[in-house]
Amino acid sequence: MATTNESNNPDDVGNSIPTDENVLQKHVSFFDRNKDGIIYPWETFQGFRALGCGIPLSTIAALFINAGLTLKTRPGRIPSLLLPIEVKNITRGVHGSDSGVYDKEGRFVPTKFEEIFTKHSRTYPNALTSDELMEMLKANRVPKDYRGWLASYTEWKIFYVICKDKDGLLRKGTIKAIYDGSLFEQMEKEHLEKKRN
């Protein structure tokens, strides 16, 4: 199995990400709460709540994400008012104006991942500030791809809000764990532990 190279950098924590399988499916599978291959808005909502997000953000994220992906992942079918997302077809939801870290088959592209930092992290080599994140989003815009612009902006701003550290940085290891979905599981465990204590 091909994987990215391990790093000795403490900012780049976590396991290697497979480059020969659909990592995008793993990324979204966290939100398939009953593991039936379909993500409904209430499951997306439950997923965001499990991450520790409030009701308003969880509600908006669930509606935005499911409305944006339902028709793309269910092509040729009659639209459903339940806004389901089919995990097996999630690669059809890959949009323009993004980093390109997922290719059209949902595989992780290490060179595109590294470009995020070589091109945009100027303050710290292995982290993005809020301003650097905005610069990255502007640099990745495809002309007249307004839906892609909106999707990228929304995704990355949500990631920044829920994943930044105490210094307001989105660290390389955190971003890597977002891409492979492992961060969501870790955040859910941490949130459950806080609720217990």
Side-chain angles (χ1 to χ4, degrees), residues 63-80:
L63 293 174
F64 180 81
I65 291 168
N66 283 72
L69 291 174
T70 189
L71 290 177
K72 291 179 180 181
T73 62
R74 293 176 48 88
R77 298 187 183 184
I78 298 170
S80 171

Side-chain angles (χ1 to χ4, degrees), residues 102-143:
Y102 293 125
D103 69 9
K104 293 291 183 188
E105 284 79 43
R107 295 176 300 214
F108 182 80
V109 182
T111 54
K112 290 291 187 180
F113 176 74
E114 292 299 329
E115 275 182 20
I116 291 172
F117 303 95
T118 58
K119 289 184 175 181
H120 305 289
S121 60
R122 291 192 256 326
T123 310
Y124 302 95
N126 291 313
L128 294 176
T129 65
S130 179
D131 289 341
E132 291 166 347
L133 178 62
M134 294 309 297
E135 288 172 19
M136 180 190 80
L137 293 174
K138 288 179 185 173
N140 288 339
R141 286 182 181 168
V142 174

Side-chain angles (χ1 to χ4, degrees), residues 23-170:
V23 178
L24 181 55
Q25 285 181 344
K26 184 180 177 201
H27 169 82
V28 301
S29 289
F30 172 81
F31 297 94
D32 182 8
R33 304 304 284 177
N34 63 2
K35 304 301 178 204
D36 66 352
I38 299 173
I39 305 170
Y40 291 98
W42 52 88
E43 290 179 286
T44 306
F45 174 85
Q46 291 166 356
F48 274 92
R49 293 292 289 150
L51 296 174
C53 297
I55 291 173
L57 177 58
S58 299
T59 302
I60 291 166
L63 293 174
F64 180 81
I65 291 168
N66 283 72
L69 291 174
T70 189
L71 290 177
K72 291 179 180 181
T73 62
R74 293 176 48 88
R77 298 187 183 184
I78 298 170
S80 171
L81 295 177
L82 298 177
L83 305 177
I85 297 169
E86 291 192 22
V87 175
K88 69 179 180 182
N89 296 329
I90 196 63
T91 55
R92 295 176 181 168
V94 173
H95 55 79
S97 299
D98 202 2
S99 62
V101 173
Y102 293 125
D103 69 9
K104 293 291 183 188
E105 284 79 43
R107 295 176 300 214
F108 182 80
V109 182
T111 54
K112 290 291 187 180
F113 176 74
E114 292 299 329
E115 275 182 20
I116 291 172
F117 303 95
T118 58
K119 289 184 175 181
H120 305 289
S121 60
R122 291 192 256 326
T123 310
Y124 302 95
N126 291 313
L128 294 176
T129 65
S130 179
D131 289 341
E132 291 166 347
L133 178 62
M134 294 309 297
E135 288 172 19
M136 180 190 80
L137 293 174
K138 288 179 185 173
N140 288 339
R141 286 182 181 168
V142 174
K144 298 183 181 180
D145 177 27
Y146 305 113
R147 286 183 182 189
W149 296 3
L150 178 62
S152 290
Y153 176 82
T154 305
E155 291 166 357
W156 280 100
K157 284 306 275 188
I158 289 173
F159 291 148
Y160 181 79
V161 167
I162 67 175
C163 300
K164 68 183 176 195
D165 67 11
K166 61 180 174 39
D167 299 317
L169 299 173
L170 200 51

